[in-house]
Amino acid sequence: MKGNFIGDEGLSLVASALENNKIMQEIDVSFNEIGPIGFSSLIKVLSSTNITSLICNRNPLGDECLSTLSAYINTPISKLKKIELCTCKLSDKEFVEFLLIIQKNKVIS
């Protein structure tokens, strides 16, 4: 789905379609103009999937998305092992806090 500029509304539809999908292991939604609303809808369904790799490069996610992601990866239901967030309009402060959470997580690389 990389590079389709689906935005928040499109990602919300994708998230609904992914719910309870046990086949997909990676999702790449880079270059899609996704913000906090779409990202949040995706994170909400991840626990019902087998997705272990989340690639969200070059989306205007912002710090709110880091908080949502941090909360999810700190739960025992998180299966994520790989996360990519390059050029996502994240502040240094929030990103450092996120890195500290990842350091404590023994699964994510």
Side-chain angles (χ1 to χ4, degrees):
M1 279 178 268
K2 179 179 176 181
N4 288 298
F5 301 98
I6 61 174
D8 286 332
E9 186 176 339
L11 187 57
S12 294
L13 293 170
V14 169
S16 294
L18 284 175
E19 197 163 8
N20 298 312
N21 181 311
K22 302 296 183 192
I23 297 172
M24 273 184 72
Q25 294 182 341
E26 178 177 284
I27 186 164
D28 185 346
V29 292
S30 300
F31 297 92
N32 273 300
E33 293 298 316
I34 297 162
I37 295 169
F39 189 78
S40 179
S41 66
L42 178 61
I43 296 300
K44 286 178 187 174
V45 301
L46 284 183
S47 63
S48 72
T49 72
N50 285 330
I51 292 176
T52 58
S53 178
L54 177 62
I55 304 169
C56 297
N57 299 323
R58 297 209 179 247
N59 284 297
L61 299 178
D63 291 341
E64 184 179 334
C65 293
L66 273 185
S67 298
T68 303
L69 184 57
S70 295
Y72 174 70
I73 64 172
N74 274 327
T75 66
I77 58 174
S78 173
K79 298 175 186 102
L80 289 179
K81 295 179 182 178
K82 176 183 173 183
I83 301 168
E84 289 186 21
L85 299 169
C86 298
T87 316
C88 289
K89 297 189 178 183
L90 308 171
S91 71
D92 291 345
K93 180 182 181 278
E94 290 296 320
F95 194 70
V96 167
E97 288 178 24
F98 180 70
L99 290 176
L100 293 173
I101 290 168
I102 289 196
Q103 281 180 332
K104 294 176 188 174
N105 187 306
K106 303 296 183 208
V107 179
I108 296 174
S109 59

